[in-house]
Amino acid sequence: MAENSIKIRAKLQEDVTTVKALMTHPMETGSRKDKDGQLIPAHYIQEITCESGGKTLLTAFWSGGVSKNPYLSFKFKGGKAGDMLKLSWMDNKGESASEEVEIS
Amino acid sequence: METDLKRRILLKGSLTASALGVAVAAGLLTPQRVLAAWPDKAFAAKTLPEMLQELLGDGNTEESGDINIKAPDIAENGAVVPVTISTNIAGAESIAVVAINNPAPLIASYNLGEGAEGFVSTRIKMGKSGDVIAVVKSGGKLYSAKKGVKVTIGGCGG
């Protein structure tokens, strides 16, 4: 998988950390056709996991209905500045990527 | 790192459901550490009750004013429709995002872990105009809200 396919930020404000992530992925549904009328095979992220300090903050199951180059944002309590936060994804072809960021 | 990842994928693929079940029963793996399989039946379901039955084990929802769906009234480009779901339902465990008129209506299912707030934001594809439905699970019950989005150019076709 391409390098730096995830851009992620985790910002702590008062006691809530807001995570914003952008992933590079085609998110093909499998029902789109190319210009020759051939179906483009499905290729999309199916699972997302986000964890920090040994705790799972969020897991997600996605379909090809999530837009290309997906954006995901969520919020959680209990994060501290300087903690590391990790987001990983796996797609329907078994490809995966992950990225870590420090909460600031 | 690379080989580690491949090993994990291989392991995940080669373990049968029953083997996992045995491992869980034997206490070798705590349920939190076993990522449940991608719910293919829920993603294939065409109706909300069928989908929710597969996904959350219950097909009934109660409309709730405590779920807020932020999405445009009119989406010029159905390929990229920003949708933000927020809820102040206490003890929200999961949030599902559905575009009911899509060929595959279930778009995303989020499980909120420890400390996670009732908030998720994603950009979704919408094939045609219709309702965006958010389903929140809390205390064994399902709550829902919907918002109509008019799509001028569909985002699912070729």
Side-chain angles (χ1 to χ4, degrees), chain A residues 30-41, chain B residues 158:
Chain A
S31 52
R32 238 160 51 94
K33 288 175 181 161
D34 64 15
K35 56 182 183 293
D36 302 321
Q38 299 292 313
L39 277 179
I40 303 170

Side-chain angles (χ1 to χ4, degrees), chain B residues 4 12 23 28 46 68 79 94 100 124 132 139-140 147 150 154:
Chain B
D4 231 0
K12 212 179 155 215
L28 294 173
K46 300 288 180 197
N68 183 38
S94 74
I100 203 66
I124 69 169
V132 172
K147 182 183 190 305
K150 190 174 186 299

Side-chain angles (χ1 to χ4, degrees), chain A residues 52-64:
Chain A
S52 180
K55 288 181 202 159
T56 302
L57 304 169
L58 183 89
T59 59
F61 291 127
W62 278 1
S63 75

Side-chain angles (χ1 to χ4, degrees), chain A residues 16 22 27 29 32 44 46-47 49 55-69 71-77 90 94 96 98, chain B residues 1 5 9 12 35-39 43 79-81 106-117 119-125 156-158:
Chain A
V16 176
L22 262 179
M27 298 301 287
T29 57
R32 238 160 51 94
Y44 54 89
Q46 286 190 317
E47 295 177 10
T49 306
K55 288 181 202 159
T56 302
L57 304 169
L58 183 89
T59 59
F61 291 127
W62 278 1
S63 75
V66 173
S67 303
K68 180 181 175 181
N69 297 333
Y71 167 79
L72 170 66
S73 175
F74 69 98
K75 299 176 180 186
F76 70 97
K77 279 185 179 164
M90 189 187 292
S96 61
S98 68
Chain B
M1 189 63 193
L5 275 172
I9 294 159
K12 212 179 155 215
L35 204 54
W38 191 75
F43 280 108
V80 186
V81 183
L106 178 58
I107 299 208
S109 170
Y110 297 92
N111 272 306
L112 305 173
E114 206 176 321
E117 302 268 278
F119 174 97
V120 282
S121 181
T122 325
R123 297 189 294 224
I124 69 169
K125 298 174 195 168
C156 288

Side-chain angles (χ1 to χ4, degrees), chain B residues 89-104:
Chain B
I89 294 174
E93 298 155 34
S94 74
I95 300 176
V97 183
V98 179
I100 203 66
N101 283 348
N102 272 14

